[in-house]
Amino acid sequence: MSRTFQSLAIPATAGIGLRSPHIGEMLTRRPSAGWLEVHAENYMGEGAGVEALERLRQIYPLSVHGVGLSLGSAQGVDRSHLERLRKVCERFQPDLVSEHLAWSVADGAYLNDLLPLRYDEEALAVVARNVETVQDVLKRQVLIENLSAYLAFADSSMNEAEFLAELVARTGCGLLLDVNNVHVSAHNLQYDAKTFIDALPAEAIGEIHLAGHATNQVGADTVLIDDHGSRVPPVVWSLYHHAISRLGTRPTLIEWDTDVPVLDVLLGEAMWADMLSASIMFNRKQTARRAAATKPRAVPTVLSFENGSGMPVLAAFAAAKAGRIVPLPHDRQGGYHAAA
């Protein structure tokens, strides 16, 4: 059953994933950044990093991104882990909370991976139940991220975009659109990335992720790996352009998890995202203005009343309501003018 939660928001600008090498510099420099996102599991205990995040939370909007809920687990969400996530949200009061459309727990053992689901009604019921549990405990909407894929189940009865759209309808969850994941999966599984984005419910997309990926040769095949270890490549920027052109601006995160560069590289990537988004929206407004300027104007209609005679009173009022007829100034009495 779909639920309604309080709408929380991060500015529709670009932020960066906060990584430990940059925490000290973020505190001392306080550089311009739209917002920060952290992995929830890194802040479930105590320590210097947790104390630093409490300080940074006073400066920047915050998003918490989970990797361990295993929303696809048939045995349900680990309640102990969910309670730890609840305490993180209570402590830091993030504006957004997100997780992955994946499973990562088997018989109580946590696997160091985000594994894909079979997209069918049975799996949808499991994920919907788990998402509802998470949202009920956290008392907030959770954004669900599309997964990077390297294989697909032969017996899936729907595709991932259809699965996500139905999950939104059933639970009231939002979506985190990882554009890099879309490109990686579309290449590896041979489908159209833009068609995938267009199939998602636009109003549910509350955040976008951008990242780099690795290219590997496996025999004669080229396989893309979602490693978050390089700049956003041109093909992902192009797909981001398509997404923003369709959706409008959205909070956008630059992810970088391996071979993490200096902070200014991440801030520079975020700047490019902001510039591209602003350019798209400016061009959209200019196109709308040009269309409005070239639209033919309606020809004014004058309803004349000669020799004091005219239409019956009720018909006149009906015409005035339909045509927005307004009385003429006193120096032009004898007729009524229908406003254009």
Side-chain angles (χ1 to χ4, degrees):
M1 180 182 298
S2 178
R3 287 159 165 75
T4 301
F5 298 93
Q6 180 183 358
S7 178
L8 299 176
I10 270 178
T13 56
I16 62 171
L18 181 65
R19 301 298 176 255
S20 56
H22 303 143
I23 291 176
E25 191 174 358
M26 290 296 297
L27 283 169
T28 56
R29 279 181 54 193
R30 297 191 178 187
S32 176
W35 50 286
L36 303 177
E37 184 165 278
V38 298
H39 287 155
E41 286 73 13
N42 292 337
Y43 295 89
M44 289 181 170
E46 298 294 337
V50 173
E51 294 174 3
L53 186 60
E54 288 181 329
R55 294 166 61 190
L56 287 169
R57 180 65 179 103
Q58 306 306 312
I59 306 169
Y60 302 99
L62 182 67
S63 172
V64 165
H65 188 49
V67 296
L69 277 179
S70 191
L71 294 175
S73 293
Q75 65 267 35
V77 175
D78 183 328
R79 290 291 183 147
S80 297
H81 188 86
L82 179 54
E83 177 60 16
R84 290 191 289 270
L85 177 60
R86 186 194 67 78
K87 289 180 178 178
V88 167
C89 294
E90 185 178 74
R91 183 171 193 170
F92 298 107
Q93 293 297 306
D95 297 297
L96 294 176
V97 177
S98 55
E99 249 291 354
H100 299 81
L101 181 64
W103 65 275
S104 55
V105 179
D107 297 327
Y110 277 80
L111 309 174
N112 190 27
D113 210 340
L114 297 168
L115 300 172
L117 306 172
R118 189 178 68 242
Y119 299 127
D120 60 12
E121 183 59 37
E122 184 179 4
L124 180 60
V126 167
V127 177
R129 183 174 65 248
N130 290 340
V131 168
E132 288 177 342
T133 297
V134 172
Q135 294 187 141
D136 287 344
V137 170
L138 300 184
K139 295 181 171 55
R140 62 167 67 219
Q141 184 189 58
V142 174
L143 307 183
I144 308 303
E145 178 182 348
N146 57 291
L147 201 62
S148 55
Y150 309 96
L151 53 84
F153 288 91
D155 53 351
S156 287
S157 58
M158 62 185 87
N159 60 42
E160 185 183 16
E162 293 169 336
F163 190 98
L164 286 167
E166 183 59 29
L167 184 65
V168 169
R170 294 192 186 190
T171 69
C173 70
L175 297 179
L176 192 170
L177 171 61
D178 191 313
V179 174
N180 182 62
N181 285 359
V182 174
H183 172 68
V184 167
S185 299
H187 171 88
N188 292 338
L189 303 184
Q190 295 297 296
Y191 61 78
D192 185 72
K194 292 180 180 179
T195 300
F196 179 97
I197 292 174
D198 293 345
L200 297 174
E203 68 283 354
I205 298 173
E207 181 182 344
I208 291 176
H209 276 187
L210 297 174
H213 55 263
T215 302
N216 290 353
Q217 284 300 132
V218 181
D221 297 324
T222 300
V223 179
L224 302 185
I225 305 295
D226 177 35
D227 67 346
H228 297 178
S230 56
R231 292 179 183 272
V232 179
V235 65
V236 175
W237 283 123
S238 178
L239 197 55
Y240 179 63
H241 185 290
H242 175 81
I244 295 298
S245 297
R246 174 176 179 260
L247 304 172
T249 55
R250 292 290 192 278
T252 299
L253 184 83
I254 302 298
E255 284 192 295
W256 208 311
D257 295 312
T258 61
D259 296 326
V260 177
V262 297
L263 177 59
D264 283 341
V265 173
L266 272 71
L267 295 172
E269 293 287 275
M271 179 193 70
W272 285 117
D274 279 336
M275 291 177 64
L276 178 57
S277 182
S279 174
I280 293 168
M281 300 313 295
F282 176 79
N283 289 335
R284 177 186 289 186
K285 290 179 180 177
Q286 290 296 94
T287 299
R289 286 172 181 166
R290 285 193 293 268
T294 58
K295 183 178 179 179
R297 294 177 61 87
V299 178
T301 302
V302 175
L303 305 177
S304 299
F305 295 81
E306 297 181 357
N307 301 322
S309 63
M311 65 178 66
V313 173
L314 293 179
F317 274 104
K321 183 176 180 181
R324 295 192 297 129
I325 301 171
V326 296
L328 288 173
H330 290 292
D331 59 354
R332 293 179 60 190
Q333 287 184 5
Y336 284 82
H337 179 266

